[in-house]
Structures are given as structure tokens and as C-alpha cells.
């Protein structure tokens, strides 16, 4: 898949709103610990909007690959302002970093 070290550099953009460590705080967006295998809008202790809750998918490599390309298209009505990562290689790197840092 991707390169976790490269993904860590990409995550700097995400870190404005998200944390990854176990027990990490929620910011504007939820802490991402335990992301893989979790349903959308279900981060413990975070108040997600209805669009995230109703999407009903489980986060994994395939769902994140599609979501990270264009989040607002994947989950219409969500509040996240991030436009997405158009380059497949950047998405692969970020996903690899998330796999290693959120579990």
C-alpha cells in the first residue's frame, strides 16, 4: 500500500482538526483512534452530524480511499472543510499512516 512516513507528513493538514493517539482529545473533528472497523459518525464522545451518522459505512482502506478523494461528495452534508487528496499515492500514504497510528 502506501508509505507511512510520507503519510505522516500529509497528516499535518489533518492534525488541525484531528488527533490519532489513544485517548487523544477531539478537536473540530473526532480523535481517529480505532478508526478502522468503526462506522461513520460513531467516534466515542464526539458529536457527529447526521450526514456522518446516516452514511452507515465502516471505515477501511477502500472506504477511506474513496472518501479522502472528495469527502463532501462521499458524505453530502458533512461539515468537514477539507477538499480532499486527488493523488491516489497521497491517499495511499495517508491511509497507511492512519493504519499504523490509530490502532
Amino acid at each position: 500500500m502506501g508509505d507511512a512516513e510520507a503519510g505522516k507528513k500529509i497528516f499535518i493538514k489533518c492534525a488541525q482538526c484531528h488527533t490519532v493517539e489513544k485517548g487523544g482529545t477531539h478537536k473540530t473533528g473526532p480523535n481517529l483512534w480505532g478508526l478502522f472497523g468503526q462506522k461513520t459518525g460513531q467516534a466515542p464522545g464526539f458529536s457527529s452530524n447526521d450526514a456522518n451518522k446516516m452514511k452507515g459505512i465502516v471505515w477501511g482502506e477502500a472506504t477511506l480511499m474513496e472518501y479522502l478523494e472528495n469527502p463532501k461528495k462521499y458524505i453530502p452534508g458533512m461539515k468537514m472543510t477539507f477538499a480532499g487528496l486527488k493523488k491516489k499515492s497521497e491517499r495511499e500514504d495517508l491511509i497507511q499512516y492512519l493504519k499504523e497510528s490509530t490502532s
Side-chain angles (χ1 to χ4, degrees), residues 2-72:
D3 176 346
E5 280 302 311
K8 185 176 184 177
K9 292 174 185 166
I10 295 166
F11 186 78
I12 291 170
K13 299 174 191 175
C14 311
Q16 295 174 23
C17 298
H18 297 281
T19 58
V20 293
E21 65 277 350
K22 185 175 184 175
T25 60
H26 297 303
K27 294 182 174 182
T28 304
N31 169 270
L32 300 176
W33 181 261
L35 175 67
F36 288 80
Q38 187 177 91
K39 288 180 87 172
T40 54
Q42 303 299 314
F46 185 78
S47 180
S48 293
N49 71 2
D50 289 342
N52 275 313
K53 291 176 188 173
M54 300 303 289
K55 183 67 177 180
I57 58 102
V58 174
W59 291 122
E61 289 182 32
T63 53
L64 282 167
M65 183 61 91
E66 188 175 351
Y67 171 78
L68 290 169
E69 183 175 14
N70 189 336
K72 288 190 176 199

